[in-house]
Amino acid sequence: MKKDCIKVAKKKGEPVRRLLIEFKLLDNSARINSDPKYLYLPLSRVPDENEVKLLNEAEGSESIEILESDFEEHAGKPKLEELLENVPHFEIIGDIALMESDVPEPEKVADAIMQVKSNVKTVLVALSPVEGEFRTRRFRTVAGEDRTWTIHKEYGCRYQVDLEKAYFTPRLATERVRIMEQIKDGEIVVDMFAGVGPYSIPIAKNSSVKQVIAIDKNPHAVELLRKNIELNSVENITAIEGDANVEAEKYATMANHVIMNLPHNAHYFLDAAIKLCEPNAIIHYYDMTHEDDLFESSTELIRVAAEKAGRNIEVLNEQTVRSYAPHQYNVCIEVKIL
Ligand code: SAM
């Protein structure tokens, strides 16, 4: 197909291409052409006077050359690599793309994501790390619909999440399956820090558990958890809004599994967790640890709490779940409480 294009010497191609993207002048439906010396950048419209001036500056010439040339159509959508010089890391949660705060030129990246990923309706940039008692983050909408809620699918379950109101990360998806696979028929599971339910719901959905007790202190998280119980038509879950230390008292020696996904602070809840355990129950204890002491100190905290309650422990598994920061890891220690 014939199209207007800018002919530019290859060594000047990149700054001109970037400007065309910025002005939304690059026609992504056509493949960029080249010969040994020149690039031919297809145009979606004729540049105005000011744009021509800036393109001249980028190319270092008096007058850029606009001509008509033949182009091949792009098969499908352009790739992000074709729209961006450096493609930063981003996560997709439902129809939201989520970038970290250190991504340069977030608006440009967001535009490219919206062009390439037709399922993305919102692009957010994080304004804070995971923070506070409820482990939430703040965000800014960079492109698309201004919202932080979406429906996320994971291993056959659907979760309504609101990234600003309650913790959720897709990064633990495989870890959650690993835990789910350990649960046996007829068991009772206490998820002490359940969030919107990504541990509790698949456990209740995929196994014949007797009961999952899902506790969270954040009212928004529990509201979403209740919606997700309905959304996934699961039974045998009791959603409880409250402090895990207090609520655990009501289920003493009932649990076969206790999930403690509150890295950094789970040790404050160890006495309650041990009280929950029937003999031979398993605690799945999450922590963030340094590479020089991945498991030892955390295991010692569990041992001390167990001994205080007159119980012993048997360490079943030490799992590195993911890297968290330089030299820091998210780990899971699985311990039988005898
Ligand atoms: N397990 C969920 C997941 O994987 O998405 C949520 C994990 S998030 C790291 C920790 C959760 O613990 C948050 O939802 C927070 O609201 C909750 N939380 C914090 N302190 C709590 C407490 N004292 N009692 C119960 N829940 C608490």
Side-chain angles (χ1 to χ4, degrees):
M1 59 182 161
K2 291 235 178 271
K3 282 198 167 285
D4 283 340
C5 68
I6 288 185
K7 179 181 172 187
V8 57
K10 274 187 168 167
K11 53 178 189 280
K12 298 286 165 96
E14 192 45 36
V16 172
R17 190 185 74 99
R18 263 190 275 151
L19 260 192
L20 291 180
I21 293 172
E22 197 178 314
F23 297 151
K24 297 197 168 64
L25 269 168
L26 189 67
D27 184 345
N28 293 311
S29 68
R31 244 176 227 293
I32 294 173
N33 274 345
S34 66
D35 61 26
K37 277 176 94 178
Y38 295 100
L39 287 179
Y40 299 83
L41 304 166
L43 294 173
S44 53
R45 61 175 169 80
V46 179
D48 65 27
E49 217 176 295
N50 191 42
E51 289 164 342
V52 169
K53 192 167 151 253
L54 293 166
L55 285 163
N56 283 337
E57 280 172 23
E59 200 206 1
S61 70
E62 287 287 291
S63 153
I64 47 157
E65 198 177 339
I66 298 182
L67 60 134
E68 203 181 51
S69 181
D70 256 326
F71 287 91
E72 260 179 54
E73 223 173 317
H74 248 302
K77 287 182 177 281
K79 295 200 170 78
L80 274 178
E81 294 73 14
E82 292 169 328
L83 301 181
L84 299 168
E85 212 175 338
N86 295 307
V87 180
H89 170 77
F90 62 91
E91 269 177 358
I92 304 273
I93 303 175
D95 61 2
I96 294 179
L98 169 56
M99 296 186 272
E100 289 306 317
S101 55
D102 56 0
V103 167
E105 302 183 273
E107 272 75 11
K108 190 172 139 188
V109 177
D111 268 357
I113 293 174
M114 295 286 284
Q115 275 187 59
V116 173
K117 308 237 172 241
S118 48
N119 55 330
V120 170
K121 300 285 182 276
T122 297
V123 184
L124 302 177
V125 66
L127 294 179
S128 77
V130 173
E131 62 188 5
E133 189 180 26
F134 297 157
R135 314 308 293 143
T136 48
R137 305 184 81 176
R138 285 170 289 114
F139 300 95
R140 175 169 76 84
T141 303
V142 202
E145 297 166 22
D146 185 16
R147 60 175 158 85
T148 51
W149 68 265
T150 185
I151 305 269
H152 181 75
K153 289 187 195 142
E154 187 176 291
Y155 287 101
C157 294
R158 286 186 298 155
Y159 302 102
Q160 184 168 335
V161 302
D162 189 325
L163 302 172
E164 210 156 56
K165 289 186 173 162
Y167 179 91
F168 180 80
T169 178
R171 291 188 204 174
L172 291 175
T174 352
E175 171 62 10
R176 298 194 256 264
V177 173
R178 192 184 70 77
I179 301 293
M180 186 187 77
E181 285 173 346
Q182 297 180 43
I183 313 296
K184 300 194 191 75
D185 288 356
E187 291 191 321
I188 295 180
V189 177
V190 180
D191 187 359
M192 288 178 85
F193 313 103
V196 304
Y199 281 86
S200 291
I201 285 172
I203 288 173
K205 191 167 172 164
N206 295 310
S207 62
S208 311
V209 278
K210 190 163 173 193
Q211 183 83 30
V212 180
I213 317 283
I215 306 167
D216 205 286
K217 197 172 175 184
N218 177 357
H220 295 299
V222 179
E223 195 187 329
L224 289 162
L225 168 64
R226 292 197 170 117
K227 281 190 182 155
N228 292 332
I229 291 171
E230 265 184 43
L231 200 59
N232 293 280
S233 316
V234 283
E235 289 166 3
N236 299 343
I237 298 195
T238 309
I240 297 172
E241 182 192 324
D243 184 311
N245 267 340
V246 176
E247 299 303 324
E249 293 286 334
K250 301 173 190 161
Y251 301 94
T253 65
M254 281 177 67
N256 302 100
H257 291 266
V258 178
I259 302 169
M260 300 186 75
N261 184 20
L262 184 62
H264 301 291
N265 288 326
H267 58 278
Y268 294 121
F269 298 83
L270 272 170
D271 293 344
I274 285 159
K275 212 174 273 179
L276 281 166
C277 289
E278 68 143 50
N280 298 322
I282 296 169
I283 292 184
H284 309 266
Y285 179 89
Y286 289 90
D287 210 345
M288 299 296 183
T289 57
H290 192 270
E291 63 187 1
D292 294 339
D293 179 12
L294 279 179
F295 305 110
E296 207 173 310
S297 298
S298 306
T299 308
E300 200 44 34
L301 291 171
I302 307 173
R303 187 188 314 282
V304 168
E307 282 172 3
K308 207 166 69 182
R311 314 277 294 264
N312 288 315
I313 68 166
E314 179 190 336
V315 178
L316 301 176
N317 185 27
E318 295 175 330
Q319 188 82 25
T320 306
V321 178
R322 60 175 171 148
S323 136
Y324 163 70
H327 312 289
Q328 299 274 331
Y329 290 86
N330 185 184
V331 298
C332 180
I333 300 166
E334 290 169 304
V335 170
K336 194 184 263 188
I337 306 296
L338 304 170

Short mmCIF file of all heavy atoms in Angstrom, two decimals, residues 23-77:
data_model
loop_
_atom_site.label_atom_id
_atom_site.label_comp_id
_atom_site.label_asym_id
_atom_site.label_seq_id
_atom_site.Cartn_x
_atom_site.Cartn_y
_atom_site.Cartn_z
N PHE A 23 4.39 12.42 18.67
CA PHE A 23 3.35 13.23 17.99
C PHE A 23 2.20 12.37 17.46
O PHE A 23 1.32 12.87 16.77
CB PHE A 23 3.95 14.00 16.81
CG PHE A 23 5.01 15.00 17.18
CD1 PHE A 23 6.03 15.32 16.29
CD2 PHE A 23 4.98 15.66 18.40
CE1 PHE A 23 7.01 16.25 16.62
CE2 PHE A 23 5.95 16.59 18.74
CZ PHE A 23 6.97 16.88 17.84
N LYS A 24 2.26 11.05 17.74
CA LYS A 24 1.26 10.10 17.20
C LYS A 24 1.22 10.20 15.66
O LYS A 24 0.15 10.15 15.03
CB LYS A 24 -0.11 10.34 17.80
CG LYS A 24 -0.16 10.11 19.31
CD LYS A 24 -1.58 9.95 19.78
CE LYS A 24 -1.71 9.44 21.19
NZ LYS A 24 -1.21 10.23 22.26
N LEU A 25 2.41 10.36 15.07
CA LEU A 25 2.50 10.51 13.61
C LEU A 25 2.94 9.22 12.93
O LEU A 25 2.82 9.09 11.71
CB LEU A 25 3.56 11.59 13.29
CG LEU A 25 3.06 13.02 13.17
CD1 LEU A 25 4.24 13.97 13.14
CD2 LEU A 25 2.22 13.19 11.92
N LEU A 26 3.48 8.27 13.71
CA LEU A 26 3.98 7.02 13.10
C LEU A 26 2.80 6.10 12.86
O LEU A 26 2.02 5.82 13.78
CB LEU A 26 5.00 6.36 14.04
CG LEU A 26 5.77 5.18 13.45
CD1 LEU A 26 6.69 5.64 12.31
CD2 LEU A 26 6.60 4.48 14.52
N ASP A 27 2.66 5.64 11.62
CA ASP A 27 1.55 4.75 11.28
C ASP A 27 1.94 3.30 11.60
O ASP A 27 2.73 2.69 10.88
CB ASP A 27 1.22 4.91 9.79
CG ASP A 27 0.01 4.09 9.41
OD1 ASP A 27 -0.39 3.21 10.21
OD2 ASP A 27 -0.55 4.33 8.33
N ASN A 28 1.37 2.80 12.70
CA ASN A 28 1.76 1.45 13.15
C ASN A 28 1.10 0.34 12.34
O ASN A 28 1.39 -0.83 12.57
CB ASN A 28 1.40 1.27 14.62
CG ASN A 28 2.26 2.17 15.48
OD1 ASN A 28 3.47 2.21 15.35
ND2 ASN A 28 1.62 2.93 16.37
N SER A 29 0.22 0.70 11.42
CA SER A 29 -0.40 -0.36 10.61
C SER A 29 0.54 -0.80 9.49
O SER A 29 0.28 -1.79 8.81
CB SER A 29 -1.73 0.12 10.03
OG SER A 29 -1.48 1.13 9.08
N ALA A 30 1.63 -0.03 9.27
CA ALA A 30 2.56 -0.37 8.17
C ALA A 30 3.95 -0.69 8.74
O ALA A 30 4.34 -0.14 9.77
CB ALA A 30 2.65 0.80 7.21
N ARG A 31 4.64 -1.57 8.05
CA ARG A 31 6.00 -1.94 8.45
C ARG A 31 7.00 -0.87 8.00
O ARG A 31 6.92 -0.42 6.84
CB ARG A 31 6.39 -3.24 7.74
CG ARG A 31 6.62 -4.38 8.66
CD ARG A 31 6.91 -5.64 7.88
NE ARG A 31 6.12 -6.72 8.42
CZ ARG A 31 6.29 -7.24 9.62
NH1 ARG A 31 7.24 -6.80 10.41
NH2 ARG A 31 5.52 -8.19 10.04
N ILE A 32 7.93 -0.49 8.88
CA ILE A 32 8.96 0.49 8.49
C ILE A 32 9.83 -0.14 7.40
O ILE A 32 10.22 -1.30 7.50
CB ILE A 32 9.81 0.87 9.74
CG1 ILE A 32 8.94 1.62 10.74
CG2 ILE A 32 11.05 1.68 9.33
CD1 ILE A 32 9.59 1.91 12.08
N ASN A 33 10.13 0.65 6.34
CA ASN A 33 10.99 0.16 5.24
C ASN A 33 12.41 0.67 5.42
O ASN A 33 12.63 1.69 6.09
CB ASN A 33 10.49 0.67 3.89
CG ASN A 33 9.43 -0.24 3.33
OD1 ASN A 33 9.28 -1.37 3.81
ND2 ASN A 33 8.70 0.24 2.34
N SER A 34 13.35 0.00 4.78
CA SER A 34 14.72 0.52 4.82
C SER A 34 15.47 0.10 3.57
O SER A 34 15.10 -0.86 2.89
CB SER A 34 15.44 0.00 6.06
OG SER A 34 15.60 -1.39 5.97
N ASP A 35 16.50 0.88 3.22
CA ASP A 35 17.49 0.44 2.23
C ASP A 35 18.84 0.60 2.92
O ASP A 35 18.88 0.97 4.11
CB ASP A 35 17.33 1.21 0.91
CG ASP A 35 17.52 2.71 1.08
OD1 ASP A 35 18.23 3.11 2.03
OD2 ASP A 35 16.96 3.49 0.29
N PRO A 36 19.96 0.33 2.29
CA PRO A 36 21.22 0.36 3.04
C PRO A 36 21.48 1.69 3.77
O PRO A 36 22.11 1.72 4.81
CB PRO A 36 22.27 0.08 1.97
CG PRO A 36 21.54 -0.72 0.94
CD PRO A 36 20.13 -0.21 0.93
N LYS A 37 20.98 2.83 3.23
CA LYS A 37 21.30 4.11 3.86
C LYS A 37 20.15 4.75 4.63
O LYS A 37 20.37 5.50 5.57
CB LYS A 37 21.76 5.11 2.79
CG LYS A 37 23.23 4.94 2.43
CD LYS A 37 23.63 5.85 1.33
CE LYS A 37 24.22 7.15 1.81
NZ LYS A 37 24.63 7.99 0.66
N TYR A 38 18.90 4.45 4.24
CA TYR A 38 17.76 5.22 4.77
C TYR A 38 16.67 4.34 5.40
O TYR A 38 16.51 3.19 5.03
CB TYR A 38 17.10 6.04 3.65
CG TYR A 38 18.03 7.10 3.11
CD1 TYR A 38 18.71 6.89 1.91
CD2 TYR A 38 18.21 8.31 3.79
CE1 TYR A 38 19.58 7.84 1.41
CE2 TYR A 38 19.08 9.27 3.29
CZ TYR A 38 19.76 9.04 2.11
OH TYR A 38 20.62 9.98 1.62
N LEU A 39 15.96 4.98 6.35
CA LEU A 39 14.72 4.40 6.86
C LEU A 39 13.56 5.16 6.24
O LEU A 39 13.66 6.38 6.01
CB LEU A 39 14.63 4.58 8.38
CG LEU A 39 15.52 3.75 9.29
CD1 LEU A 39 15.26 4.14 10.75
CD2 LEU A 39 15.27 2.26 9.09
N TYR A 40 12.45 4.46 6.03
CA TYR A 40 11.24 5.10 5.51
C TYR A 40 10.16 4.88 6.56
O TYR A 40 9.70 3.76 6.78
CB TYR A 40 10.84 4.48 4.17
CG TYR A 40 11.92 4.68 3.13
CD1 TYR A 40 13.02 3.81 3.06
CD2 TYR A 40 11.87 5.76 2.24
CE1 TYR A 40 14.04 4.01 2.14
CE2 TYR A 40 12.91 5.97 1.31
CZ TYR A 40 13.98 5.09 1.27
OH TYR A 40 14.99 5.30 0.37
N LEU A 41 9.82 5.97 7.27
CA LEU A 41 8.91 5.87 8.42
C LEU A 41 7.50 6.29 7.99
O LEU A 41 7.27 7.47 7.68
CB LEU A 41 9.41 6.76 9.56
CG LEU A 41 10.86 6.49 10.01
CD1 LEU A 41 11.38 7.63 10.90
CD2 LEU A 41 10.93 5.18 10.77
N PRO A 42 6.55 5.34 7.96
CA PRO A 42 5.21 5.65 7.45
C PRO A 42 4.45 6.61 8.36
O PRO A 42 4.54 6.51 9.59
CB PRO A 42 4.52 4.28 7.41
CG PRO A 42 5.26 3.46 8.40
CD PRO A 42 6.67 3.95 8.44
N LEU A 43 3.71 7.53 7.76
CA LEU A 43 3.02 8.58 8.53
C LEU A 43 1.52 8.32 8.59
O LEU A 43 0.92 7.90 7.59
CB LEU A 43 3.25 9.95 7.88
CG LEU A 43 4.70 10.46 7.90
CD1 LEU A 43 4.81 11.74 7.06
CD2 LEU A 43 5.13 10.73 9.33
N SER A 44 0.94 8.62 9.76
CA SER A 44 -0.51 8.46 9.89
C SER A 44 -1.22 9.74 9.41
O SER A 44 -2.40 9.73 9.12
CB SER A 44 -0.88 8.16 11.34
OG SER A 44 -0.32 9.14 12.17
N ARG A 45 -0.49 10.86 9.35
CA ARG A 45 -1.04 12.12 8.81
C ARG A 45 0.14 13.03 8.45
O ARG A 45 1.29 12.71 8.79
CB ARG A 45 -1.97 12.80 9.83
CG ARG A 45 -1.28 13.17 11.10
CD ARG A 45 -2.16 13.94 12.07
NE ARG A 45 -1.52 14.03 13.38
CZ ARG A 45 -0.56 14.89 13.71
NH1 ARG A 45 -0.11 15.76 12.81
NH2 ARG A 45 -0.01 14.88 14.91
N VAL A 46 -0.19 14.15 7.80
CA VAL A 46 0.89 15.08 7.42
C VAL A 46 1.27 15.90 8.66
O VAL A 46 0.39 16.44 9.33
CB VAL A 46 0.41 16.01 6.28
CG1 VAL A 46 1.50 17.01 5.89
CG2 VAL A 46 -0.03 15.19 5.08
N PRO A 47 2.56 15.99 8.98
CA PRO A 47 2.94 16.78 10.17
C PRO A 47 2.66 18.27 9.98
O PRO A 47 2.75 18.78 8.85
CB PRO A 47 4.46 16.53 10.29
CG PRO A 47 4.87 15.71 9.13
CD PRO A 47 3.68 15.35 8.31
N ASP A 48 2.28 18.95 11.09
CA ASP A 48 2.05 20.40 10.95
C ASP A 48 3.38 21.14 11.00
O ASP A 48 4.45 20.54 11.18
CB ASP A 48 1.06 20.88 12.03
CG ASP A 48 1.61 20.75 13.45
OD1 ASP A 48 2.84 20.78 13.62
OD2 ASP A 48 0.81 20.60 14.40
N GLU A 49 3.29 22.44 10.87
CA GLU A 49 4.49 23.28 10.72
C GLU A 49 5.46 23.12 11.90
O GLU A 49 6.67 22.94 11.73
CB GLU A 49 4.04 24.74 10.66
CG GLU A 49 4.84 25.61 9.71
CD GLU A 49 4.22 27.00 9.67
OE1 GLU A 49 3.07 27.12 9.20
OE2 GLU A 49 4.87 27.91 10.16
N ASN A 50 4.86 23.15 13.10
CA ASN A 50 5.68 23.04 14.31
C ASN A 50 6.35 21.68 14.40
O ASN A 50 7.52 21.56 14.76
CB ASN A 50 4.78 23.30 15.53
CG ASN A 50 5.60 23.47 16.77
OD1 ASN A 50 6.64 24.13 16.74
ND2 ASN A 50 5.16 22.87 17.86
N GLU A 51 5.58 20.62 14.08
CA GLU A 51 6.13 19.26 14.10
C GLU A 51 7.28 19.13 13.09
O GLU A 51 8.31 18.54 13.39
CB GLU A 51 5.02 18.24 13.81
CG GLU A 51 4.04 18.09 14.96
CD GLU A 51 2.74 17.39 14.58
OE1 GLU A 51 2.42 17.30 13.36
OE2 GLU A 51 2.04 16.95 15.50
N VAL A 52 7.09 19.72 11.91
CA VAL A 52 8.16 19.67 10.88
C VAL A 52 9.42 20.34 11.42
O VAL A 52 10.53 19.81 11.28
CB VAL A 52 7.69 20.36 9.57
CG1 VAL A 52 8.86 20.55 8.61
CG2 VAL A 52 6.59 19.53 8.91
N LYS A 53 9.23 21.47 12.12
CA LYS A 53 10.38 22.19 12.68
C LYS A 53 11.15 21.28 13.66
O LYS A 53 12.38 21.16 13.58
CB LYS A 53 9.85 23.44 13.40
CG LYS A 53 10.90 24.43 13.78
CD LYS A 53 10.25 25.74 14.19
CE LYS A 53 11.17 26.42 15.19
NZ LYS A 53 10.69 26.39 16.55
N LEU A 54 10.40 20.61 14.54
CA LEU A 54 11.05 19.76 15.55
C LEU A 54 11.67 18.52 14.90
O LEU A 54 12.73 18.05 15.32
CB LEU A 54 10.05 19.36 16.63
CG LEU A 54 9.59 20.55 17.49
CD1 LEU A 54 8.38 20.18 18.32
CD2 LEU A 54 10.71 21.02 18.41
N LEU A 55 11.02 18.00 13.87
CA LEU A 55 11.59 16.84 13.16
C LEU A 55 12.88 17.23 12.46
O LEU A 55 13.86 16.50 12.45
CB LEU A 55 10.58 16.28 12.16
CG LEU A 55 9.41 15.49 12.78
CD1 LEU A 55 8.26 15.35 11.81
CD2 LEU A 55 9.89 14.13 13.26
N ASN A 56 12.89 18.45 11.88
CA ASN A 56 14.13 18.95 11.24
C ASN A 56 15.26 19.02 12.27
O ASN A 56 16.39 18.63 11.99
CB ASN A 56 13.91 20.35 10.65
CG ASN A 56 13.14 20.29 9.34
OD1 ASN A 56 13.14 19.25 8.69
ND2 ASN A 56 12.49 21.38 8.98
N GLU A 57 14.91 19.53 13.46
CA GLU A 57 15.94 19.64 14.51
C GLU A 57 16.47 18.26 14.90
O GLU A 57 17.67 18.06 15.07
CB GLU A 57 15.35 20.31 15.75
CG GLU A 57 15.29 21.82 15.62
CD GLU A 57 14.51 22.46 16.77
OE1 GLU A 57 14.41 21.84 17.84
OE2 GLU A 57 14.00 23.56 16.55
N ALA A 58 15.53 17.29 15.02
CA ALA A 58 15.95 15.93 15.41
C ALA A 58 16.83 15.30 14.35
O ALA A 58 17.76 14.56 14.64
CB ALA A 58 14.72 15.06 15.64
N GLU A 59 16.53 15.62 13.09
CA GLU A 59 17.31 15.02 12.01
C GLU A 59 18.58 15.81 11.72
O GLU A 59 19.52 15.31 11.10
CB GLU A 59 16.44 14.93 10.74
CG GLU A 59 16.97 13.89 9.77
CD GLU A 59 16.59 14.18 8.34
OE1 GLU A 59 15.92 15.20 8.08
OE2 GLU A 59 16.99 13.39 7.48
N GLY A 60 18.58 17.06 12.16
CA GLY A 60 19.75 17.91 11.93
C GLY A 60 19.81 18.44 10.50
O GLY A 60 20.88 18.69 9.96
N SER A 61 18.62 18.60 9.89
CA SER A 61 18.63 19.11 8.50
C SER A 61 17.72 20.33 8.40
O SER A 61 16.95 20.64 9.31
CB SER A 61 18.16 18.04 7.54
OG SER A 61 16.77 17.83 7.74
N GLU A 62 17.80 21.01 7.28
CA GLU A 62 16.96 22.19 7.02
C GLU A 62 15.54 21.75 6.75
O GLU A 62 14.59 22.36 7.20
CB GLU A 62 17.49 22.92 5.76
CG GLU A 62 18.79 23.66 5.99
CD GLU A 62 18.54 24.91 6.83
OE1 GLU A 62 17.92 25.84 6.33
OE2 GLU A 62 18.98 24.91 8.01
N SER A 63 15.43 20.64 6.00
CA SER A 63 14.09 20.24 5.60
C SER A 63 14.00 18.71 5.45
O SER A 63 14.68 18.13 4.61
CB SER A 63 13.77 20.95 4.28
OG SER A 63 12.86 20.23 3.56
N ILE A 64 13.21 18.07 6.33
CA ILE A 64 13.05 16.62 6.23
C ILE A 64 12.35 16.28 4.91
O ILE A 64 11.60 17.08 4.36
CB ILE A 64 12.22 16.05 7.40
CG1 ILE A 64 10.96 16.88 7.59
CG2 ILE A 64 13.01 15.89 8.66
CD1 ILE A 64 9.87 16.13 8.27
N GLU A 65 12.62 15.07 4.44
CA GLU A 65 12.06 14.68 3.15
C GLU A 65 10.78 13.86 3.36
O GLU A 65 10.82 12.79 3.97
CB GLU A 65 13.11 13.85 2.39
CG GLU A 65 12.82 13.79 0.91
CD GLU A 65 13.91 13.04 0.15
OE1 GLU A 65 15.04 12.93 0.67
OE2 GLU A 65 13.60 12.56 -0.96
N ILE A 66 9.65 14.41 2.90
CA ILE A 66 8.39 13.64 2.96
C ILE A 66 8.07 13.19 1.54
O ILE A 66 8.05 13.99 0.62
CB ILE A 66 7.24 14.50 3.52
CG1 ILE A 66 7.59 14.93 4.96
CG2 ILE A 66 5.93 13.73 3.52
CD1 ILE A 66 6.54 15.75 5.66
N LEU A 67 7.86 11.89 1.38
CA LEU A 67 7.55 11.37 0.05
C LEU A 67 6.56 10.23 0.15
O LEU A 67 6.22 9.81 1.26
CB LEU A 67 8.83 10.90 -0.65
CG LEU A 67 9.60 9.79 0.06
CD1 LEU A 67 10.01 8.72 -0.91
CD2 LEU A 67 10.80 10.36 0.76
N GLU A 68 6.12 9.75 -0.98
CA GLU A 68 5.20 8.62 -0.97
C GLU A 68 5.99 7.36 -1.27
O GLU A 68 6.90 7.38 -2.11
CB GLU A 68 4.11 8.84 -2.02
CG GLU A 68 2.87 8.05 -1.71
CD GLU A 68 1.81 8.24 -2.78
OE1 GLU A 68 2.13 8.09 -3.97
OE2 GLU A 68 0.68 8.54 -2.40
N SER A 69 5.67 6.28 -0.57
CA SER A 69 6.39 5.03 -0.81
C SER A 69 5.45 3.84 -0.57
O SER A 69 4.38 4.00 0.00
CB SER A 69 7.60 4.97 0.12
OG SER A 69 8.33 3.80 -0.11
N ASP A 70 5.89 2.67 -1.01
CA ASP A 70 5.10 1.44 -0.83
C ASP A 70 5.42 0.79 0.51
O ASP A 70 6.59 0.66 0.87
CB ASP A 70 5.45 0.45 -1.95
CG ASP A 70 4.35 0.43 -2.98
OD1 ASP A 70 3.19 0.58 -2.56
OD2 ASP A 70 4.67 0.29 -4.17
N PHE A 71 4.40 0.37 1.24
CA PHE A 71 4.64 -0.29 2.54
C PHE A 71 3.86 -1.60 2.61
O PHE A 71 2.78 -1.72 2.03
CB PHE A 71 4.18 0.63 3.69
CG PHE A 71 5.11 1.78 3.91
CD1 PHE A 71 4.89 2.98 3.25
CD2 PHE A 71 6.22 1.65 4.74
CE1 PHE A 71 5.76 4.05 3.43
CE2 PHE A 71 7.08 2.72 4.92
CZ PHE A 71 6.85 3.91 4.27
N GLU A 72 4.45 -2.52 3.36
CA GLU A 72 3.73 -3.77 3.68
C GLU A 72 2.88 -3.52 4.91
O GLU A 72 3.33 -2.81 5.82
CB GLU A 72 4.73 -4.86 4.07
CG GLU A 72 5.07 -5.83 3.00
CD GLU A 72 6.08 -6.82 3.55
OE1 GLU A 72 5.81 -7.42 4.60
OE2 GLU A 72 7.15 -6.93 2.93
N GLU A 73 1.71 -4.14 4.95
CA GLU A 73 0.88 -4.00 6.14
C GLU A 73 1.47 -4.83 7.28
O GLU A 73 2.04 -5.90 7.03
CB GLU A 73 -0.52 -4.52 5.83
CG GLU A 73 -1.59 -3.63 6.39
CD GLU A 73 -2.96 -4.09 5.91
OE1 GLU A 73 -3.10 -4.41 4.72
OE2 GLU A 73 -3.83 -4.12 6.76
N HIS A 74 1.35 -4.31 8.50
CA HIS A 74 1.76 -5.09 9.67
C HIS A 74 0.82 -6.25 9.83
O HIS A 74 -0.39 -6.06 9.81
CB HIS A 74 1.61 -4.22 10.94
CG HIS A 74 2.91 -3.88 11.55
ND1 HIS A 74 3.79 -4.82 11.95
CD2 HIS A 74 3.46 -2.68 11.83
CE1 HIS A 74 4.84 -4.21 12.45
NE2 HIS A 74 4.68 -2.92 12.39
N ALA A 75 1.35 -7.46 10.01
CA ALA A 75 0.45 -8.57 10.33
C ALA A 75 0.12 -8.42 11.81
O ALA A 75 1.00 -8.52 12.66
CB ALA A 75 1.14 -9.89 10.07
N GLY A 76 -1.12 -8.13 12.13
CA GLY A 76 -1.51 -7.96 13.53
C GLY A 76 -1.03 -6.64 14.09
O GLY A 76 -0.69 -5.72 13.34
N LYS A 77 -0.99 -6.57 15.42
CA LYS A 77 -0.61 -5.30 16.07
C LYS A 77 0.90 -5.16 16.12
O LYS A 77 1.60 -6.16 16.09
CB LYS A 77 -1.16 -5.31 17.48
CG LYS A 77 -2.65 -5.11 17.53
CD LYS A 77 -3.11 -5.07 18.96
CE LYS A 77 -4.58 -4.81 19.03
NZ LYS A 77 -4.95 -3.43 18.85
#
